[in-house]
Amino acid sequence: MPPQKLEIFKSLEGWAEDNLLVHLKPVEKYMITEEALPTYQTMLNTLDGVRDETGASLTSWAIWTRAWTAEENRHGDLLNKYLYLSGRVDMKQIEKTIQYLIGSGMDPKTENNPYLGFIYTSFQERATFISHGNTARLAKEHGDMKLAQICGIIAADEKRHETAYTKIVEKLFEIDPDGTVLALADMMRKKISMPAHLMFDGQDDNLFDNYSSVAQRIGVYTAKDYADILEFLVGRWKVETLTGLSGEGNRAQEFVCGLPARIRRLEERAAGSAKQPSSPVPFSWIFGRELVL
Ligand SMILES: [Fe+2]
Ligand SMILES: [Fe+2]
């Protein structure tokens, strides 16, 4: 990143203390908690100007990253314990998948750029808020009140994370509207990849796509949600009403504001074209039981 942009993050240090750290949950208030946290913490620490330089740095950015990681870690722990105690899944296969996942890492294409990084995390936090909320609803419908409660608590945490990350990007829009709208368009052209897109269980080479298909079919996370999230963020950051942009900035603004409708049209067309029914696929996490995608 150019030095003058790095200065922006240095100058926002005090702002981050007052506006970002307030969205962390006091540790003693809960004992709750996703997997592959080393990967996500690494991702935040690739970002120029906000990375944790020492591993225990006292900048607000670094304090946030470590405490956020701790909160996400509880999500992973809690869900893992729930699955273990349920006795209904093959824990060995789940643990294997986590080993492979952490081993593979991920590249969200944020290029060490905190503009791209915080746009990515804003999108992801809202995606997890929506998907955990949908899982809570489905669990309740199927009579598992404990799982519904667990997913409800996690969804509330994700909402808080969304608030924090979208606030950072809101501030960037205020200070550097042109740079930020360009970053938003850049990130959306690359598409927001899911953190677990490199997951593998040692058996299924299409594991992530197969899980995504099931999530889409049962309504946990769908292509419509992707368009909805983008539309929400464009509204949240008031992208449509930005003024004084450069020519390039104006084109980026037009692109992102029109994108949700474009994604929906593509989806409708894809849904309209008759899909070949696929044969059921076995899932190792549930002892090879076959599910329709
Ligand atoms: Fe989480
Ligand atoms: Fe989160």
Side-chain angles (χ1 to χ4, degrees):
M1 248 198 338
Q4 67 271 26
K5 297 248 174 183
L6 274 178
E7 279 307 313
I8 290 181
F9 291 92
K10 215 174 271 171
S11 71
L12 283 177
E13 167 64 29
W15 174 88
E17 187 179 348
D18 298 339
N19 290 275
L20 193 53
L21 301 185
V22 295
H23 296 292
L24 291 166
K25 209 171 193 173
V27 174
E28 58 278 13
K29 266 204 190 155
Y30 77 153
M31 282 304 292
I32 292 262
T33 88
E34 289 127 47
E35 306 290 355
L37 263 301
T39 308
Y40 312 144
Q41 191 172 16
T42 300
M43 181 240 152
L44 282 171
N45 282 328
T46 64
L47 305 176
D48 296 339
V50 297
R51 71 171 60 87
D52 187 346
E53 296 284 353
T54 65
S57 161
L58 294 175
T59 67
S60 304
W61 303 110
I63 291 169
W64 165 266
T65 297
R66 291 191 300 269
W68 170 85
T69 305
E71 292 194 2
E72 296 292 6
N73 192 48
R74 297 199 214 182
H75 296 169
D77 280 355
L78 179 65
L79 290 169
N80 194 302
K81 280 179 186 130
Y82 167 85
L83 289 173
Y84 175 72
L85 291 170
S86 78
R88 297 168 61 185
V89 295
D90 188 338
M91 283 313 294
K92 189 175 170 190
Q93 283 305 122
I94 292 178
E95 293 301 339
K96 225 186 206 180
T97 311
I98 296 167
Q99 292 300 299
Y100 276 116
L101 182 60
I102 296 173
S104 319
M106 71 161 183
D107 176 7
K109 308 210 163 52
T110 46
E111 294 167 46
N112 314 120
N113 181 325
Y115 287 66
L116 299 176
F118 292 135
I119 291 167
Y120 179 86
T121 53
S122 296
F123 198 103
Q124 272 308 336
E125 295 290 0
R126 187 158 179 89
T128 50
F129 161 67
I130 291 172
S131 57
H132 286 299
N134 285 331
T135 309
R137 178 178 48 77
L138 286 169
K140 195 173 163 198
E141 282 172 20
H142 292 275
D144 190 334
M145 300 317 282
K146 245 323 146 217
L147 181 60
Q149 192 188 8
I150 287 170
C151 291
I153 291 169
I154 295 177
D157 285 357
E158 308 300 14
K159 185 76 208 172
R160 226 170 0 88
H161 297 161
E162 175 203 307
T163 303
Y165 287 120
T166 54
K167 253 169 108 174
I168 299 175
V169 179
E170 178 184 41
K171 192 74 187 164
L172 292 174
F173 267 113
E174 189 185 306
I175 299 171
D176 180 11
D178 215 62
T180 312
V181 77
L182 288 172
L184 178 57
D186 183 21
M187 206 61 238
M188 294 320 299
R189 278 198 189 89
K190 292 171 177 163
K191 297 207 177 75
I192 305 283
S193 59
M194 281 312 222
H197 64 280
L198 295 177
M199 74 194 267
F200 182 54
D201 61 354
Q203 302 182 7
D204 184 352
D205 288 322
N206 296 312
L207 188 64
F208 180 77
D209 290 340
N210 290 340
Y211 269 101
S212 298
S213 300
V214 174
Q216 169 92 23
R217 183 171 58 80
I218 66 177
V220 162
Y221 186 73
T222 68
K224 185 185 162 291
D225 291 318
Y226 190 96
D228 289 351
I229 294 168
L230 178 58
E231 187 170 70
F232 170 87
L233 293 175
V234 166
R236 165 76 181 76
W237 296 324
K238 303 184 178 69
V239 182
E240 251 166 275
T241 56
L242 292 174
T243 51
L245 299 173
S246 66
E248 218 192 335
N250 277 317
R251 283 191 295 279
Q253 177 186 36
E254 217 172 290
F255 168 69
V256 294
C257 291
L259 194 53
R262 252 177 66 192
I263 296 170
R264 284 190 193 114
R265 275 199 305 274
L266 286 171
E267 262 324 298
E268 278 162 27
R269 218 177 297 160
S273 60
K275 231 173 58 185
Q276 288 292 97
S278 65
S279 45
V281 171
F283 284 79
S284 69
W285 289 18
I286 46 173
F287 304 99
R289 229 178 84 201
E290 296 190 340
L291 297 181
V292 179
L293 301 184

